[in-house]
């Protein structure tokens, strides 16, 4: 059975996120699957990561790529069987790799048996598993278009869905729902999985007043966040979940926390809170938003980015919590396109720089599949290429109600659509990048002939080997896990410089976020008698620290200061 104490192994771990639908197809049906992931375990082992996070693998109609679950105890048939999962877990464990799953319990699929029952009648025992109103109580708009309220004639009521109408929200105020969720957790934890990423877990408790939300980002409806994010009972429910289930296993938990400030996150992750180990915040993801929200052309301002990383570091340290560190995931654009420079000249070098800036921070880094080979946005040029429910809704809304041209809207999707990160993993120069022998469910990025894992593992100068080294350094050097972070040169718009300091070690991290060559007077910010180069993305980086350093385009330099 379970172990009682949490050994906090996740503080020294690097997580690799696998999007199962797009990772590796093993049976030619065009969808990635569990046996495909199994085949690729040696690749992940070679990269050196510790933990694999799998996006939802449960039975699902796939309206939102698995975030609409119809059976929490069954594997999505296109991904395989429960035997395949058990084999994957056993094999991963035998190789020293852990696996965490995605827990999606703010909502279910409308095809889940609870919802099929719930919508039959008001007297049905499952009716109260969901949130029903006789009248539409407010102006909330769902994340994927339209109202959050959907009418069901059989019962004469509206149910709440923050996401697609096929994703009805569960009623967490019903203790039976919470017990059902805890049973699901136990089912998977007793199989031996190593933890959970909890989807929109900060939204589970709704304000019973169901207040109208402000209409922001030129949307057609009001925002639901004020009435859902960190609602009245969320901490009580998470503490209950922790007490009854999580605390009994030596696992990691990371809660997805949209619209959660660092101050609020202290209550989710603080050492004495008994809730979650860490959260994914969105503060750095929001920095390039404009009046239309996410679908914007802006680039992130480096000083803003520093402020976010610094504030989260301070607050998590103050509460004894822990940070999660990420540039990208299955909902975001590709890191090198968005934060770096994907031009052939600078793609590799800037991908390595981004890796350095993030992996030297305190927290648990998450690598999104393909990031370790510098995969770029998809650059689809027609709406027919898109698969994501969000992208299709944005196209309809922007070209319809907002009156944007199709060309402009497609440009925004090319920059920000979630499908950018969902194109198949690029394994080789073979047909469909070695992802499938069949017809891939979403087009493969055309640049796979140059950007692929096979080429990367043969090239000691690749992003892959640089990431491998970053992971290794984290394993070897306690200062990367424990050292105190200190921001230097805060107002510099081009260079991100910080220290990590423990009792007997200090690291100086300098990252040039521009393609300019910069004479950097580092001695103005830090007094160090002697510094030795630990890692750089330039082979000819000065081995010894000096008062002034010439920073090459997108140069990243980490010095160990004695
Ligand atoms: O995303 C939650 C979330 O906040 C989204 O609105 C996210 O910000 C958006 O996709 C960005 O454009 C989670 C999952 O990660 C996402 O894939 C799911 O679609 C969503 O929950 C519903 O389960």
């Amino acid at each position: 059975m379970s172990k009682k104490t949490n050994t906090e192994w996740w503080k020294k771990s690097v997580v690799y996120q696998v999007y199962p639908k797009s990772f590796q197809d093993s049976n030619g049906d065009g969808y990635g699957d569990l046996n495909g992931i199994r085949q690729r375990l040696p690749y992940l082992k070679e990269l050196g990561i510790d933990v694999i996070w799998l996006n939802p693998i449960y039975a699902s109609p796939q309206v939102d790529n698995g975030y609409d679950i119809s059976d929490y105890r069954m594997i999505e048939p296109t991904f395989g069987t429960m035997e395949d999962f058990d084999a994957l877990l056993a094999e991963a464990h035998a190789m020293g790799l852990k696996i965490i799953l995605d827990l999606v319990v703010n909502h279910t699929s409308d095809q889940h048996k609870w919802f099929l029952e719930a919508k039959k009648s008001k007297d049905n025992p499952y009716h109260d598993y969901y949130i029903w109103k006789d009248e539409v109580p407010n102006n909330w708009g769902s994340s994927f278009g339209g109202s959050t309220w959907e009418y069901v004639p059989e019962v004469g009521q509206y149910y709440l869905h923050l996401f697609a109408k096929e994703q009805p929200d569960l009623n967490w105020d019903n203790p039976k729902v919470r017990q059902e969720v805890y049973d699901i957790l136990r089912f998977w934890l007793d199989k031996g999985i190593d933890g959970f990423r909890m989807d929109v877990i900060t939204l589970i408790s709704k304000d019973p007043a169901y207040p109208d939300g402000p209409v922001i980002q030129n949307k057609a409806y009001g925002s639901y966040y004020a009435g859902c994010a960190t609602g009245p009972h969320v901490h009580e429910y998470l503490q209950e979940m922790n007490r009854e289930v999580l605390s009994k296993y030596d696992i990691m938990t990371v809660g997805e926390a949209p619209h959660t400030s660092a101050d609020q996150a202290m209550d989710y992750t603080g050492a004495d809170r008994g809730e979650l180990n860490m959260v994914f915040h969105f503060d750095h993801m929001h920095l390039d938003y404009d009046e239309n929200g996410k679908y914007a052309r802006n680039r992130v301002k480096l000083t803003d980015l520093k402020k976010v990383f610094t504030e989260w570091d301070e607050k998590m340290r103050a509460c004894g919590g822990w940070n999660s560190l990420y540039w990208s995931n299955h909902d975001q654009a590709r890191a090198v396109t968005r934060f770096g420079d994907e031009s052939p000249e600078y793609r590799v070098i800037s991908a390595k720089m981004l890796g350095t800036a993030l992996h030297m921070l305190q927290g648990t880094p998450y690598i999104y599949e393909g990031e370790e080979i510098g995969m770029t946005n998809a650059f689809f040029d027609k709406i027919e290429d898109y698969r994501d429910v969000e992208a299709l809704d944005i196209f309809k809304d922007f070209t319809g109600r907002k009156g944007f041209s199709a060309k402009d809207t497609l440009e925004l999707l090319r920059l920000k659509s979630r499908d950018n990160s969902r194109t198949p993993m690029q394994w080789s120069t073979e047909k469909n990048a070695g992802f499938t022998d069949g017809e891939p469910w979403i087009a493969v990025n055309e640049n796979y002939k140059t950007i692929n894992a096979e080429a990367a593992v043969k090239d000691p100068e690749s992003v892959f080997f640089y990431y491998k080294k970053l992971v290794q350094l984290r394993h070897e050097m306690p200062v990367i896990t424990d050292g105190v972070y200190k921001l230097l040169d805060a107002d510099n718009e081009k260079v991100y410089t910080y220290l990590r300091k423990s009792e007997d070690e200090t690291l100086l991290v300098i990252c040039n976020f521009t393609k300019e060559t910069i004479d950097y007077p580092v001695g103005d910010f830090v007094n160090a008698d002697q510094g030795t180069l630990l890692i750089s993305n330039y082979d000819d980086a000065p081995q010894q620290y000096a008062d002034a350093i010439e920073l090459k385009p997108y140069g990243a330099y980490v010095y160990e200061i004695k």
Side-chain angles (χ1 to χ4, degrees):
M1 231 316 265
S2 46
K3 286 153 262 167
K4 287 227 162 46
T5 45
N6 196 316
T7 58
E8 300 194 337
W9 48 265
W10 35 271
K11 287 194 172 173
K12 285 199 176 300
S13 299
V14 177
V15 182
Y16 185 94
Q17 183 187 349
V18 167
Y19 198 66
K21 203 168 182 169
S22 300
F23 197 58
Q24 178 67 66
D25 179 17
S26 72
N27 63 1
D29 66 358
Y31 298 98
D33 47 44
L34 299 180
N35 286 331
I37 300 170
R38 261 171 88 190
Q39 290 169 13
R40 295 299 184 178
L41 289 176
Y43 170 83
L44 298 178
K45 188 70 193 164
E46 168 71 15
L47 181 58
I49 54 99
D50 308 278
V51 184
I52 301 167
W53 153 26
L54 299 177
N55 286 95
I57 54 168
Y58 322 93
S60 159
Q62 301 286 322
V63 170
D64 183 19
N65 282 0
Y67 284 91
D68 47 322
I69 297 167
S70 52
D71 188 339
Y72 289 92
R73 291 179 179 78
M74 182 183 162
I75 299 293
E76 160 61 23
T78 53
F79 292 170
T81 63
M82 194 59 86
E83 288 69 43
D84 297 337
F85 177 79
D86 292 340
L88 170 64
L89 183 65
E91 220 164 293
H93 280 172
M95 293 170 77
L97 297 168
K98 295 182 158 68
I99 293 189
I100 67 170
L101 295 184
D102 216 313
L103 180 76
V104 190
V105 287
N106 173 71
H107 44 270
T108 68
S109 161
D110 65 344
Q111 300 306 305
H112 193 286
K113 69 169 191 264
W114 300 337
F115 191 74
L116 295 175
E117 286 297 313
K119 66 173 199 181
K120 282 184 183 163
S121 79
K122 286 183 196 169
D123 312 323
N124 191 287
Y126 290 98
H127 190 69
D128 198 31
Y129 271 41
Y130 295 87
I131 298 167
W132 300 92
K133 298 283 168 208
D134 294 335
E135 307 287 336
V136 171
N138 57 30
N139 68 349
W140 292 358
S142 95
S143 281
F144 304 140
S147 164
T148 55
W149 301 98
E150 183 75 12
Y151 188 66
V152 176
E154 292 95 308
V155 291
Q157 286 182 310
Y158 298 81
Y159 67 86
L160 177 71
H161 61 91
L162 300 184
F163 296 90
K165 67 177 191 315
E166 294 85 355
Q167 294 168 293
D169 278 53
L170 283 166
N171 175 16
W172 274 71
D173 294 333
N174 181 346
K176 282 194 205 142
V177 167
R178 304 205 295 276
Q179 289 309 320
E180 298 267 17
V181 170
Y182 305 157
D183 280 348
I184 294 166
L185 286 164
R186 287 187 199 102
F187 174 83
W188 290 100
L189 290 169
D190 288 339
K191 273 187 176 289
I193 67 156
D194 302 286
F196 286 103
R197 176 265 188 188
M198 301 188 185
D199 192 56
V200 291
I201 200 70
T202 50
L203 305 183
I204 57 174
S205 168
K206 278 74 177 174
D207 179 345
Y210 287 90
D212 273 346
V215 179
I216 51 169
Q217 301 173 347
N218 294 320
K219 288 195 171 147
Y221 292 84
S223 159
Y224 58 69
Y225 282 109
C228 300
T230 307
H233 300 289
V234 67
H235 294 298
E236 180 191 322
Y237 297 158
L238 285 176
Q239 282 167 17
E240 180 184 82
M241 178 197 281
N242 190 298
R243 216 171 37 243
E244 293 199 17
V245 189
L246 305 175
S247 60
K248 302 190 166 34
Y249 301 82
D250 187 13
I251 54 167
M252 69 171 272
T253 52
V254 48
E256 193 204 21
H259 291 261
T260 303
S261 68
D263 281 315
Q264 290 172 320
M266 294 168 82
D267 293 337
Y268 287 104
T269 67
D272 55 355
R273 297 287 300 172
E275 296 189 20
L276 302 171
N277 298 140
M278 57 191 128
V279 296
F280 286 125
H281 71 78
F282 283 64
D283 281 357
H284 58 319
M285 294 290 124
H286 289 164
L287 295 176
D288 55 9
Y289 280 31
D290 71 6
E291 68 279 6
N292 287 304
K294 173 180 173 179
Y295 290 85
R297 290 182 179 79
N298 294 338
R299 294 276 297 189
V300 167
K301 243 176 98 179
L302 184 60
T303 44
D304 291 342
L305 189 73
K306 295 186 205 181
K307 265 188 215 135
V308 167
F309 284 164
T310 304
E311 184 194 6
W312 278 83
D313 181 88
E314 279 164 6
K315 301 256 158 89
M316 290 305 102
R317 180 168 288 276
C319 71
W322 195 248
N323 254 305
S324 34
L325 310 167
Y326 71 99
W327 284 127
S328 183
N329 59 42
H330 64 291
D331 292 334
Q332 303 295 337
R334 289 281 175 181
V336 73
T337 301
R338 185 176 183 184
F339 297 100
D341 185 334
E342 63 176 8
S343 68
E345 198 176 356
Y346 295 122
R347 183 184 64 82
V348 168
I349 208 84
S350 70
K352 292 176 180 174
M353 184 279 290
L354 290 172
T356 316
L358 196 85
H359 281 246
M360 290 296 131
L361 291 169
Q362 183 168 47
T364 299
Y366 292 74
I367 302 172
Y368 181 68
E369 67 177 40
E371 180 184 325
E372 79 284 8
I373 55 168
M375 275 176 66
T376 68
N377 269 10
F379 290 98
F380 291 153
D381 56 10
K382 44 185 192 310
I383 192 64
E384 291 72 30
D385 287 335
Y386 286 93
R387 297 287 174 270
D388 178 24
V389 55
E390 179 180 277
L392 301 177
D393 171 63
I394 290 290
F395 189 78
K396 196 168 131 223
D397 189 46
F398 279 36
T399 57
R401 186 181 63 89
K402 285 194 179 174
F404 281 40
S405 69
K407 186 170 165 278
D408 281 353
T409 309
L410 282 168
E411 193 188 325
L412 296 173
L413 290 175
R414 276 200 297 271
L415 291 170
K416 286 302 203 55
S417 159
R418 308 197 296 182
D419 280 338
N420 285 308
S421 58
R422 298 176 181 186
T423 60
M425 176 68 187
Q426 293 163 210
W427 292 109
S428 68
T429 55
E430 283 165 43
K431 185 179 158 217
N432 297 322
F435 164 68
T436 180
D437 297 336
E439 195 52 43
W441 70 276
I442 187 170
V444 173
N445 191 319
E446 282 171 9
N447 62 21
Y448 74 90
K449 293 245 154 89
T450 32
I451 306 173
N452 62 70
E454 190 182 61
V457 298
K458 282 190 200 138
D459 173 11
E461 300 295 317
S462 65
V463 182
F464 180 90
F465 281 108
Y466 193 87
Y467 263 66
K468 181 178 163 138
K469 188 156 178 211
L470 289 172
V471 176
Q472 228 168 1
L473 287 173
R474 174 168 294 264
H475 291 154
E476 288 163 4
M477 300 188 69
V479 65
I480 300 178
T481 306
D482 305 322
V484 177
Y485 164 95
K486 186 167 186 265
L487 177 66
L488 301 174
D489 196 11
D491 299 329
N492 195 317
E493 278 301 349
K494 297 175 180 171
V495 186
Y496 186 14
T497 307
Y498 60 84
L499 294 175
R500 297 294 310 284
K501 227 172 156 58
S502 66
E503 236 165 64
D504 39 33
E505 281 178 301
T506 301
L507 297 183
L508 168 66
V509 182
I510 309 169
C511 292
N512 178 0
F513 271 70
T514 73
K515 60 176 160 215
E516 294 166 32
T517 301
I518 299 175
D519 276 325
Y520 194 59
V522 62
D524 292 1
F525 317 108
V526 60
N527 243 335
D529 297 337
Q530 210 196 336
T532 313
L533 189 71
L534 188 64
I535 185 169
S536 171
N537 54 357
Y538 280 96
D539 283 345
D540 56 357
Q543 289 300 314
Q544 295 299 312
Y545 162 85
D547 267 357
I549 301 183
E550 180 181 86
L551 307 180
K552 297 269 180 66
Y554 299 106
Y557 310 82
V558 182
Y559 287 94
E560 207 182 343
I561 299 174
K562 292 278 175 220

